[in-house]
Amino acid sequence: MVTYAALEGQELIEALEAKARKLRVDIVKMVGMARSGHPGGSLSAADIVATLYFYEMNHKPDQPNWSDRDRFVLSKGHAAPVLYAALAESGYFPVDDLWTLRKIDSHLQGHPDMRKTPGVEISTGSLGQGFATAVGMALGCRLDNKSSHVYALIGDGESQEGIIWEASMFAAQHKLDNLVGILDYNNMQIDGLVSDIVDIQPAAAKWTAFGWHTIEIDGHNIADIIQALDEARSVKGKPTMIIANTIKGKCVSFMEGQVDFHGKAPSDAEVEQALYELECLGPIG
């Protein structure tokens, strides 16, 4: 597995930016080939997921069930393409498997399935359920005297679910400082703007009021993401929520800020245009 733990400064940032572009290329290609899927929220989370898998998390792709690993839970399970791209790039399974997304008998279904895909910690898709499971994982790691951290990526639309807040109270009550939530805040859900449907603002104040250490960042700025994750590891006595402000469809011009691409695959011509634009942004890791 390629990681960048030994790199520092600008060299580290550029390596992770290149890796995020590689994830975006794979997302566009696999959703285009499947002719279905959720590209918008996968692209918005690519910088976060790249930094987690290739810088932050302690994991061994050749030993997916290594007991001391950090755990990643994709609570917004419909963004499965970004998770699959990161797992393949890490070495959990061959990259060529990505082109079987959503096909019959493929282990890569529309939402993550822990029974079929190496590296998937928990099957997700029912909104909020993954986050609640991550809270339980963090408590379990503590009871087992593990130093593992649990990272849970949630959506902003998903944050409208009551289970998110019930789990948040439980995590704070038990002072789960080995738990880091990351909110992919692109302000779009399948039916429109989150702020027009059920506004979750002021998000930072709400998580703070629920007893969490809260950090707000630009979710596409690798340096900001690294700094926030480093800060989260230093926090003691409470869980951390990183509110990452992102753009739906990031780095593909015709997808950016477009609700339609929440759950719509690009056409063949759009895939070609998207890949051209991603290649123009710089080296692809």
Side-chain angles (χ1 to χ4, degrees), residues 156-157 160 185-201 259:
D156 43 8
Q160 298 160 343
Y185 197 173
N186 57 42
N187 193 32
M188 288 186 176
Q189 58 190 105
I190 192 167
D191 293 324
L193 297 178
V194 171
S195 53
D196 287 344
I197 297 171
V198 177
D199 197 357
I200 63 170
Q201 287 287 14
V259 171

Side-chain angles (χ1 to χ4, degrees), residues 6-124:
L7 302 181
E8 295 180 349
Q10 190 60 30
E11 189 177 17
L12 170 63
I13 291 170
E14 290 176 0
L16 289 170
E17 288 174 341
K19 188 63 72 179
R21 278 194 288 278
K22 177 62 165 59
L23 300 189
R24 289 188 166 100
V25 166
D26 289 345
I27 290 164
V28 168
K29 289 172 66 176
M30 80 174 89
V31 175
M33 292 176 72
R35 301 191 183 284
S36 69
H38 295 80
S42 297
L43 293 170
S44 71
D47 300 293
I48 298 164
V49 173
T51 305
L52 283 170
Y53 272 87
F54 302 104
Y55 168 75
E56 176 67 13
M57 291 201 306
N58 191 20
H59 63 128
K60 297 181 178 180
D62 60 339
Q63 300 177 49
N65 298 317
W66 177 46
S67 62
D68 291 326
R69 70 192 183 282
D70 291 334
R71 276 77 167 169
F72 174 72
V73 175
L74 181 68
S75 193
K76 46 177 270 181
H78 55 275
V82 70
L83 174 58
Y84 296 155
L87 291 174
E89 191 68 14
S90 297
Y92 283 89
F93 51 80
V95 172
D96 283 349
D97 288 6
L98 296 176
W99 322 136
T100 70
L101 175 71
R102 290 180 172 240
K103 299 288 193 301
I104 293 175
D105 296 330
S106 171
H107 67 91
L108 303 179
Q109 291 302 299
H111 293 77
D113 187 336
M114 63 181 292
R115 301 168 304 171
K116 297 180 178 179
T117 308
V120 171
E121 296 287 350
I122 184 71
S123 301
T124 54

